[in-house]
């Protein structure tokens, strides 16, 4: 379960952009593009060129959904840990600290391109103007 209130670590697996839940398109603003998508068992985490969107599917039927938006403009700093050479499990972690003190840690499984995600965050955070 994705729960931003608990600063959770999630086992995220990459998914094809075509598998992103359709309702995400209604949340996007003009010019915003989906760059990468990941899932847990039922939940999804979407990286756009402007923010991270989580979709938390709740309840037995999955009809109730919670959407959370984490804009890159609020990131104070971040850290990335990549898998080492010849490690059996190719996990990568992304650790974000937001300007309000909130932290989020994402654990990626299955060959996620953590470098591409880091570049997007870096470009936005480093080019942001007050």
């Amino acid at each position: 379960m994705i729960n931003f209130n608990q600063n959770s670590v999630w086992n995220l697996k990459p998914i094809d952009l075509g598998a992103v839940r359709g309702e995400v398109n209604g949340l996007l603003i003009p010019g915003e593009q989906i760059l990468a998508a990941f899932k847990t068992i039922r939940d999804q985490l979407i990286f756009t060129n402007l923010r991270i969107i989580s979709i938390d599917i709740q309840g037995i039927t999955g009809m109730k959904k919670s959407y959370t938006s984490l804009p890159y403009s609020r990131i104070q700093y971040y850290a990335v840990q990549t898998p080492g050479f010849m490690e059996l499990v190719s996990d990568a972690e992304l650790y974000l600290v937001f300007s309000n003190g909130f932290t989020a840690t994402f654990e990626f499984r299955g060959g996620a391109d953590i470098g591409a995600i880091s570049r997007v965050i870096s470009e936005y955070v480093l080019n942001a103007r007050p």
Side-chain angles (χ1 to χ4, degrees), residues 9-15 36-39 45-47 52 79-83 89-96 104-115 117-118 121:
V9 174
W10 310 301
N11 295 322
L12 298 163
K13 296 180 182 174
I15 59 173
F38 301 87
K39 71 172 186 161
L45 192 71
I46 313 302
F47 287 81
I52 302 167
V80 172
Q81 179 178 335
T82 60
V89 180
S90 60
D91 293 352
E93 288 186 16
L94 174 63
Y95 178 77
L96 303 172
T105 304
F106 305 101
E107 183 178 293
F108 299 92
R109 298 202 183 276
D113 189 353
I114 194 72
I117 293 169
S118 296
I121 294 170

mmCIF file of all heavy atoms in Angstrom, residues 9-15 36-39 45-47 52 79-83 89-96 104-115 117-118 121:
data_model
loop_
_atom_site.group_PDB
_atom_site.id
_atom_site.type_symbol
_atom_site.label_atom_id
_atom_site.label_comp_id
_atom_site.label_asym_id
_atom_site.label_seq_id
_atom_site.Cartn_x
_atom_site.Cartn_y
_atom_site.Cartn_z
ATOM 1 N N VAL A 9 8.698 2.707 2.433
ATOM 2 C CA VAL A 9 9.548 2.175 1.384
ATOM 3 C C VAL A 9 8.702 1.163 0.636
ATOM 4 O O VAL A 9 8.056 0.311 1.232
ATOM 5 C CB VAL A 9 10.789 1.478 1.980
ATOM 6 C CG1 VAL A 9 11.591 0.807 0.892
ATOM 7 C CG2 VAL A 9 11.637 2.463 2.755
ATOM 8 N N TRP A 10 8.675 1.273 -0.685
ATOM 9 C CA TRP A 10 7.815 0.383 -1.463
ATOM 10 C C TRP A 10 8.632 -0.441 -2.426
ATOM 11 O O TRP A 10 9.628 0.020 -2.948
ATOM 12 C CB TRP A 10 6.781 1.196 -2.234
ATOM 13 C CG TRP A 10 6.073 2.162 -1.361
ATOM 14 C CD1 TRP A 10 5.334 1.866 -0.259
ATOM 15 C CD2 TRP A 10 6.049 3.576 -1.474
ATOM 16 N NE1 TRP A 10 4.835 3.004 0.298
ATOM 17 C CE2 TRP A 10 5.261 4.080 -0.429
ATOM 18 C CE3 TRP A 10 6.598 4.468 -2.379
ATOM 19 C CZ2 TRP A 10 5.013 5.422 -0.252
ATOM 20 C CZ3 TRP A 10 6.351 5.810 -2.202
ATOM 21 C CH2 TRP A 10 5.576 6.275 -1.145
ATOM 22 N N ASN A 11 8.191 -1.633 -2.679
ATOM 23 C CA ASN A 11 8.796 -2.485 -3.692
ATOM 24 C C ASN A 11 8.097 -2.213 -5.010
ATOM 25 O O ASN A 11 7.062 -2.777 -5.306
ATOM 26 C CB ASN A 11 8.657 -3.959 -3.298
ATOM 27 C CG ASN A 11 9.430 -4.268 -2.041
ATOM 28 O OD1 ASN A 11 10.513 -3.741 -1.837
ATOM 29 N ND2 ASN A 11 8.879 -5.115 -1.195
ATOM 30 N N LEU A 12 8.659 -1.325 -5.788
ATOM 31 C CA LEU A 12 8.037 -0.861 -7.020
ATOM 32 C C LEU A 12 8.624 -1.581 -8.224
ATOM 33 O O LEU A 12 9.836 -1.689 -8.358
ATOM 34 C CB LEU A 12 8.254 0.644 -7.174
ATOM 35 C CG LEU A 12 7.629 1.490 -6.076
ATOM 36 C CD1 LEU A 12 8.231 2.888 -6.072
ATOM 37 C CD2 LEU A 12 6.134 1.553 -6.271
ATOM 38 N N LYS A 13 7.735 -2.041 -9.086
ATOM 39 C CA LYS A 13 8.157 -2.703 -10.315
ATOM 40 C C LYS A 13 7.737 -1.838 -11.496
ATOM 41 O O LYS A 13 6.631 -1.316 -11.523
ATOM 42 C CB LYS A 13 7.504 -4.072 -10.418
ATOM 43 C CG LYS A 13 7.950 -5.007 -9.320
ATOM 44 C CD LYS A 13 7.294 -6.356 -9.424
ATOM 45 C CE LYS A 13 7.764 -7.205 -8.254
ATOM 46 N NZ LYS A 13 7.091 -8.463 -8.176
ATOM 47 N N PRO A 14 8.622 -1.691 -12.499
ATOM 48 C CA PRO A 14 8.275 -0.864 -13.659
ATOM 49 C C PRO A 14 7.099 -1.451 -14.427
ATOM 50 O O PRO A 14 6.946 -2.675 -14.513
ATOM 51 C CB PRO A 14 9.535 -0.893 -14.531
ATOM 52 C CG PRO A 14 10.575 -1.613 -13.773
ATOM 53 C CD PRO A 14 9.951 -2.269 -12.606
ATOM 54 N N ILE A 15 6.252 -0.566 -14.959
ATOM 55 C CA ILE A 15 5.167 -0.993 -15.833
ATOM 56 C C ILE A 15 5.205 -0.160 -17.103
ATOM 57 O O ILE A 15 5.743 0.946 -17.121
ATOM 58 C CB ILE A 15 3.774 -0.887 -15.162
ATOM 59 C CG1 ILE A 15 3.466 0.550 -14.729
ATOM 60 C CG2 ILE A 15 3.644 -1.859 -14.011
ATOM 61 C CD1 ILE A 15 2.049 0.765 -14.225
ATOM 62 N N ALA A 36 7.598 7.821 -16.470
ATOM 63 C CA ALA A 36 7.833 6.463 -15.971
ATOM 64 C C ALA A 36 6.693 6.076 -15.042
ATOM 65 O O ALA A 36 6.078 6.939 -14.404
ATOM 66 C CB ALA A 36 9.165 6.377 -15.228
ATOM 67 N N ALA A 37 6.426 4.780 -14.963
ATOM 68 C CA ALA A 37 5.346 4.295 -14.111
ATOM 69 C C ALA A 37 5.777 3.007 -13.432
ATOM 70 O O ALA A 37 6.504 2.193 -14.013
ATOM 71 C CB ALA A 37 4.085 4.066 -14.934
ATOM 72 N N PHE A 38 5.297 2.842 -12.192
ATOM 73 C CA PHE A 38 5.652 1.682 -11.384
ATOM 74 C C PHE A 38 4.417 1.213 -10.643
ATOM 75 O O PHE A 38 3.448 1.955 -10.490
ATOM 76 C CB PHE A 38 6.751 2.058 -10.382
ATOM 77 C CG PHE A 38 7.992 2.560 -11.059
ATOM 78 C CD1 PHE A 38 8.135 3.894 -11.379
ATOM 79 C CD2 PHE A 38 8.997 1.679 -11.405
ATOM 80 C CE1 PHE A 38 9.264 4.361 -12.032
ATOM 81 C CE2 PHE A 38 10.133 2.127 -12.061
ATOM 82 C CZ PHE A 38 10.264 3.478 -12.373
ATOM 83 N N LYS A 39 4.459 -0.011 -10.156
ATOM 84 C CA LYS A 39 3.325 -0.530 -9.404
ATOM 85 C C LYS A 39 3.785 -1.385 -8.231
ATOM 86 O O LYS A 39 4.901 -1.906 -8.223
ATOM 87 C CB LYS A 39 2.409 -1.343 -10.305
ATOM 88 C CG LYS A 39 2.999 -2.672 -10.722
ATOM 89 C CD LYS A 39 1.984 -3.515 -11.452
ATOM 90 C CE LYS A 39 2.589 -4.902 -11.708
ATOM 91 N NZ LYS A 39 1.587 -5.881 -11.995
ATOM 92 N N LEU A 45 2.621 4.278 -8.975
ATOM 93 C CA LEU A 45 3.406 5.481 -8.736
ATOM 94 C C LEU A 45 3.849 5.985 -10.104
ATOM 95 O O LEU A 45 4.479 5.250 -10.866
ATOM 96 C CB LEU A 45 4.615 5.168 -7.858
ATOM 97 C CG LEU A 45 5.351 6.363 -7.295
ATOM 98 C CD1 LEU A 45 4.494 7.044 -6.227
ATOM 99 C CD2 LEU A 45 6.675 5.948 -6.692
ATOM 100 N N ILE A 46 3.483 7.231 -10.418
ATOM 101 C CA ILE A 46 3.716 7.796 -11.734
ATOM 102 C C ILE A 46 4.692 8.969 -11.601
ATOM 103 O O ILE A 46 4.487 9.862 -10.772
ATOM 104 C CB ILE A 46 2.394 8.337 -12.344
ATOM 105 C CG1 ILE A 46 1.247 7.341 -12.200
ATOM 106 C CG2 ILE A 46 2.612 8.784 -13.777
ATOM 107 C CD1 ILE A 46 1.449 6.003 -12.811
ATOM 108 N N PHE A 47 5.743 8.965 -12.411
ATOM 109 C CA PHE A 47 6.681 10.081 -12.470
ATOM 110 C C PHE A 47 6.383 10.854 -13.749
ATOM 111 O O PHE A 47 6.429 10.295 -14.845
ATOM 112 C CB PHE A 47 8.129 9.585 -12.486
ATOM 113 C CG PHE A 47 8.600 9.063 -11.168
ATOM 114 C CD1 PHE A 47 8.294 7.775 -10.763
ATOM 115 C CD2 PHE A 47 9.345 9.864 -10.321
ATOM 116 C CE1 PHE A 47 8.723 7.283 -9.541
ATOM 117 C CE2 PHE A 47 9.778 9.388 -9.091
ATOM 118 C CZ PHE A 47 9.461 8.095 -8.696
ATOM 119 N N ILE A 52 5.458 13.668 -8.862
ATOM 120 C CA ILE A 52 5.198 12.251 -8.629
ATOM 121 C C ILE A 52 3.735 12.148 -8.212
ATOM 122 O O ILE A 52 3.282 12.886 -7.338
ATOM 123 C CB ILE A 52 6.093 11.699 -7.508
ATOM 124 C CG1 ILE A 52 7.570 11.912 -7.851
ATOM 125 C CG2 ILE A 52 5.786 10.225 -7.257
ATOM 126 C CD1 ILE A 52 8.505 11.698 -6.677
ATOM 127 N N ALA A 79 18.644 11.597 -2.623
ATOM 128 C CA ALA A 79 19.770 10.666 -2.703
ATOM 129 C C ALA A 79 19.317 9.436 -3.479
ATOM 130 O O ALA A 79 18.144 9.062 -3.449
ATOM 131 C CB ALA A 79 20.233 10.260 -1.308
ATOM 132 N N VAL A 80 20.262 8.821 -4.174
ATOM 133 C CA VAL A 80 19.994 7.623 -4.950
ATOM 134 C C VAL A 80 21.004 6.562 -4.552
ATOM 135 O O VAL A 80 22.188 6.858 -4.370
ATOM 136 C CB VAL A 80 20.128 7.909 -6.469
ATOM 137 C CG1 VAL A 80 20.039 6.635 -7.270
ATOM 138 C CG2 VAL A 80 19.083 8.907 -6.917
ATOM 139 N N GLN A 81 20.530 5.352 -4.392
ATOM 140 C CA GLN A 81 21.416 4.220 -4.151
ATOM 141 C C GLN A 81 21.164 3.211 -5.262
ATOM 142 O O GLN A 81 20.032 2.791 -5.478
ATOM 143 C CB GLN A 81 21.143 3.575 -2.792
ATOM 144 C CG GLN A 81 22.034 2.385 -2.527
ATOM 145 C CD GLN A 81 21.776 1.783 -1.158
ATOM 146 O OE1 GLN A 81 21.309 2.453 -0.254
ATOM 147 N NE2 GLN A 81 22.066 0.513 -1.018
ATOM 148 N N THR A 82 22.223 2.863 -5.968
ATOM 149 C CA THR A 82 22.093 1.917 -7.070
ATOM 150 C C THR A 82 22.615 0.558 -6.627
ATOM 151 O O THR A 82 23.373 0.462 -5.663
ATOM 152 C CB THR A 82 22.890 2.393 -8.293
ATOM 153 O OG1 THR A 82 24.269 2.493 -7.929
ATOM 154 C CG2 THR A 82 22.387 3.731 -8.788
ATOM 155 N N PRO A 83 22.209 -0.499 -7.333
ATOM 156 C CA PRO A 83 22.728 -1.820 -6.980
ATOM 157 C C PRO A 83 24.223 -1.910 -7.280
ATOM 158 O O PRO A 83 24.718 -1.256 -8.197
ATOM 159 C CB PRO A 83 21.928 -2.781 -7.859
ATOM 160 C CG PRO A 83 21.311 -1.955 -8.912
ATOM 161 C CD PRO A 83 21.269 -0.546 -8.427
ATOM 162 N N VAL A 89 20.184 -9.211 -6.219
ATOM 163 C CA VAL A 89 18.921 -8.494 -6.376
ATOM 164 C C VAL A 89 19.232 -7.089 -6.873
ATOM 165 O O VAL A 89 19.976 -6.358 -6.238
ATOM 166 C CB VAL A 89 18.146 -8.428 -5.033
ATOM 167 C CG1 VAL A 89 16.841 -7.682 -5.208
ATOM 168 C CG2 VAL A 89 17.913 -9.823 -4.488
ATOM 169 N N SER A 90 18.662 -6.734 -8.020
ATOM 170 C CA SER A 90 18.978 -5.427 -8.615
ATOM 171 C C SER A 90 18.002 -4.361 -8.136
ATOM 172 O O SER A 90 17.167 -3.872 -8.879
ATOM 173 C CB SER A 90 18.949 -5.525 -10.141
ATOM 174 O OG SER A 90 17.657 -5.925 -10.559
ATOM 175 N N ASP A 91 18.108 -4.001 -6.875
ATOM 176 C CA ASP A 91 17.256 -2.967 -6.293
ATOM 177 C C ASP A 91 17.956 -1.615 -6.370
ATOM 178 O O ASP A 91 19.178 -1.532 -6.326
ATOM 179 C CB ASP A 91 16.961 -3.254 -4.824
ATOM 180 C CG ASP A 91 16.114 -4.490 -4.626
ATOM 181 O OD1 ASP A 91 15.622 -5.040 -5.617
ATOM 182 O OD2 ASP A 91 15.966 -4.917 -3.464
ATOM 183 N N ALA A 92 17.161 -0.574 -6.459
ATOM 184 C CA ALA A 92 17.660 0.791 -6.382
ATOM 185 C C ALA A 92 16.724 1.550 -5.454
ATOM 186 O O ALA A 92 15.546 1.218 -5.336
ATOM 187 C CB ALA A 92 17.685 1.438 -7.764
ATOM 188 N N GLU A 93 17.264 2.550 -4.760
ATOM 189 C CA GLU A 93 16.443 3.347 -3.855
ATOM 190 C C GLU A 93 16.567 4.819 -4.191
ATOM 191 O O GLU A 93 17.629 5.292 -4.578
ATOM 192 C CB GLU A 93 16.865 3.124 -2.405
ATOM 193 C CG GLU A 93 16.470 1.778 -1.865
ATOM 194 C CD GLU A 93 16.768 1.632 -0.380
ATOM 195 O OE1 GLU A 93 16.999 2.658 0.302
ATOM 196 O OE2 GLU A 93 16.764 0.498 0.089
ATOM 197 N N LEU A 94 15.452 5.523 -4.025
ATOM 198 C CA LEU A 94 15.397 6.967 -4.189
ATOM 199 C C LEU A 94 14.859 7.534 -2.888
ATOM 200 O O LEU A 94 13.801 7.124 -2.411
ATOM 201 C CB LEU A 94 14.474 7.336 -5.358
ATOM 202 C CG LEU A 94 14.185 8.815 -5.580
ATOM 203 C CD1 LEU A 94 15.462 9.574 -5.933
ATOM 204 C CD2 LEU A 94 13.138 8.991 -6.666
ATOM 205 N N TYR A 95 15.596 8.465 -2.299
ATOM 206 C CA TYR A 95 15.240 9.086 -1.031
ATOM 207 C C TYR A 95 15.035 10.572 -1.288
ATOM 208 O O TYR A 95 15.938 11.251 -1.772
ATOM 209 C CB TYR A 95 16.367 8.845 -0.025
ATOM 210 C CG TYR A 95 16.174 9.472 1.319
ATOM 211 C CD1 TYR A 95 15.309 8.908 2.253
ATOM 212 C CD2 TYR A 95 16.864 10.626 1.681
ATOM 213 C CE1 TYR A 95 15.141 9.483 3.499
ATOM 214 C CE2 TYR A 95 16.699 11.203 2.922
ATOM 215 C CZ TYR A 95 15.837 10.619 3.822
ATOM 216 O OH TYR A 95 15.665 11.196 5.064
ATOM 217 N N LEU A 96 13.826 11.067 -1.008
ATOM 218 C CA LEU A 96 13.489 12.466 -1.244
ATOM 219 C C LEU A 96 13.194 13.172 0.070
ATOM 220 O O LEU A 96 12.508 12.619 0.931
ATOM 221 C CB LEU A 96 12.245 12.576 -2.129
ATOM 222 C CG LEU A 96 12.295 11.894 -3.489
ATOM 223 C CD1 LEU A 96 10.924 11.931 -4.143
ATOM 224 C CD2 LEU A 96 13.321 12.557 -4.372
ATOM 225 N N ALA A 104 10.345 10.753 1.712
ATOM 226 C CA ALA A 104 9.759 9.611 1.020
ATOM 227 C C ALA A 104 10.893 8.755 0.493
ATOM 228 O O ALA A 104 11.860 9.276 -0.070
ATOM 229 C CB ALA A 104 8.862 10.070 -0.128
ATOM 230 N N THR A 105 10.794 7.463 0.702
ATOM 231 C CA THR A 105 11.796 6.532 0.210
ATOM 232 C C THR A 105 11.108 5.545 -0.710
ATOM 233 O O THR A 105 10.103 4.944 -0.347
ATOM 234 C CB THR A 105 12.467 5.773 1.373
ATOM 235 O OG1 THR A 105 13.009 6.725 2.278
ATOM 236 C CG2 THR A 105 13.570 4.869 0.857
ATOM 237 N N PHE A 106 11.649 5.390 -1.900
ATOM 238 C CA PHE A 106 11.097 4.472 -2.888
ATOM 239 C C PHE A 106 12.127 3.392 -3.173
ATOM 240 O O PHE A 106 13.287 3.702 -3.456
ATOM 241 C CB PHE A 106 10.775 5.202 -4.188
ATOM 242 C CG PHE A 106 9.860 6.374 -4.020
ATOM 243 C CD1 PHE A 106 10.356 7.658 -3.996
ATOM 244 C CD2 PHE A 106 8.497 6.188 -3.880
ATOM 245 C CE1 PHE A 106 9.522 8.746 -3.851
ATOM 246 C CE2 PHE A 106 7.648 7.265 -3.729
ATOM 247 C CZ PHE A 106 8.162 8.546 -3.712
ATOM 248 N N GLU A 107 11.719 2.157 -3.104
ATOM 249 C CA GLU A 107 12.594 1.036 -3.444
ATOM 250 C C GLU A 107 12.090 0.432 -4.743
ATOM 251 O O GLU A 107 10.941 0.004 -4.834
ATOM 252 C CB GLU A 107 12.577 -0.009 -2.336
ATOM 253 C CG GLU A 107 13.516 -1.164 -2.591
ATOM 254 C CD GLU A 107 13.494 -2.149 -1.440
ATOM 255 O OE1 GLU A 107 13.930 -1.791 -0.341
ATOM 256 O OE2 GLU A 107 13.005 -3.273 -1.664
ATOM 257 N N PHE A 108 12.965 0.420 -5.744
ATOM 258 C CA PHE A 108 12.602 -0.061 -7.072
ATOM 259 C C PHE A 108 13.184 -1.442 -7.298
ATOM 260 O O PHE A 108 14.340 -1.692 -6.994
ATOM 261 C CB PHE A 108 13.143 0.891 -8.148
ATOM 262 C CG PHE A 108 12.593 2.277 -8.044
ATOM 263 C CD1 PHE A 108 13.252 3.246 -7.308
ATOM 264 C CD2 PHE A 108 11.413 2.616 -8.678
ATOM 265 C CE1 PHE A 108 12.758 4.531 -7.214
ATOM 266 C CE2 PHE A 108 10.903 3.901 -8.598
ATOM 267 C CZ PHE A 108 11.584 4.863 -7.861
ATOM 268 N N ARG A 109 12.400 -2.310 -7.888
ATOM 269 C CA ARG A 109 12.848 -3.655 -8.253
ATOM 270 C C ARG A 109 12.716 -3.831 -9.759
ATOM 271 O O ARG A 109 11.928 -3.168 -10.400
ATOM 272 C CB ARG A 109 11.992 -4.708 -7.560
ATOM 273 C CG ARG A 109 12.082 -4.656 -6.055
ATOM 274 C CD ARG A 109 11.679 -5.999 -5.453
ATOM 275 N NE ARG A 109 11.677 -5.962 -4.015
ATOM 276 C CZ ARG A 109 12.757 -6.134 -3.263
ATOM 277 N NH1 ARG A 109 13.916 -6.354 -3.816
ATOM 278 N NH2 ARG A 109 12.669 -6.107 -1.948
ATOM 279 N N GLY A 110 13.503 -4.738 -10.286
ATOM 280 C CA GLY A 110 13.308 -5.140 -11.671
ATOM 281 C C GLY A 110 13.843 -4.212 -12.728
ATOM 282 O O GLY A 110 13.220 -4.011 -13.753
ATOM 283 N N GLY A 111 14.994 -3.626 -12.507
ATOM 284 C CA GLY A 111 15.648 -2.878 -13.565
ATOM 285 C C GLY A 111 15.076 -1.510 -13.863
ATOM 286 O O GLY A 111 15.087 -1.080 -15.012
ATOM 287 N N ALA A 112 14.587 -0.802 -12.881
ATOM 288 C CA ALA A 112 14.096 0.562 -13.097
ATOM 289 C C ALA A 112 15.271 1.457 -13.486
ATOM 290 O O ALA A 112 16.384 1.285 -12.998
ATOM 291 C CB ALA A 112 13.446 1.090 -11.824
ATOM 292 N N ASP A 113 15.027 2.392 -14.378
ATOM 293 C CA ASP A 113 16.063 3.330 -14.808
ATOM 294 C C ASP A 113 16.128 4.483 -13.814
ATOM 295 O O ASP A 113 15.578 5.557 -14.052
ATOM 296 C CB ASP A 113 15.777 3.819 -16.228
ATOM 297 C CG ASP A 113 16.932 4.631 -16.801
ATOM 298 O OD1 ASP A 113 17.896 4.922 -16.061
ATOM 299 O OD2 ASP A 113 16.851 4.990 -17.991
ATOM 300 N N ILE A 114 16.780 4.242 -12.698
ATOM 301 C CA ILE A 114 16.853 5.238 -11.628
ATOM 302 C C ILE A 114 17.643 6.468 -12.085
ATOM 303 O O ILE A 114 17.407 7.581 -11.632
ATOM 304 C CB ILE A 114 17.450 4.622 -10.335
ATOM 305 C CG1 ILE A 114 17.212 5.534 -9.125
ATOM 306 C CG2 ILE A 114 18.910 4.302 -10.489
ATOM 307 C CD1 ILE A 114 15.802 5.561 -8.656
ATOM 308 N N GLY A 115 18.564 6.273 -13.029
ATOM 309 C CA GLY A 115 19.320 7.403 -13.568
ATOM 310 C C GLY A 115 18.424 8.387 -14.294
ATOM 311 O O GLY A 115 18.557 9.599 -14.135
ATOM 312 N N ILE A 117 15.188 8.847 -13.822
ATOM 313 C CA ILE A 117 14.352 9.508 -12.815
ATOM 314 C C ILE A 117 15.155 10.590 -12.094
ATOM 315 O O ILE A 117 14.676 11.697 -11.885
ATOM 316 C CB ILE A 117 13.781 8.477 -11.824
ATOM 317 C CG1 ILE A 117 12.797 7.558 -12.554
ATOM 318 C CG2 ILE A 117 13.124 9.160 -10.636
ATOM 319 C CD1 ILE A 117 12.363 6.353 -11.748
ATOM 320 N N SER A 118 16.390 10.284 -11.752
ATOM 321 C CA SER A 118 17.252 11.260 -11.075
ATOM 322 C C SER A 118 17.496 12.478 -11.938
ATOM 323 O O SER A 118 17.511 13.611 -11.441
ATOM 324 C CB SER A 118 18.596 10.618 -10.717
ATOM 325 O OG SER A 118 18.408 9.580 -9.804
ATOM 326 N N ILE A 121 14.413 14.760 -11.873
ATOM 327 C CA ILE A 121 14.332 15.484 -10.603
ATOM 328 C C ILE A 121 15.411 16.562 -10.550
ATOM 329 O O ILE A 121 15.144 17.706 -10.172
ATOM 330 C CB ILE A 121 14.441 14.513 -9.413
ATOM 331 C CG1 ILE A 121 13.218 13.594 -9.388
ATOM 332 C CG2 ILE A 121 14.574 15.275 -8.094
ATOM 333 C CD1 ILE A 121 13.325 12.447 -8.413
#
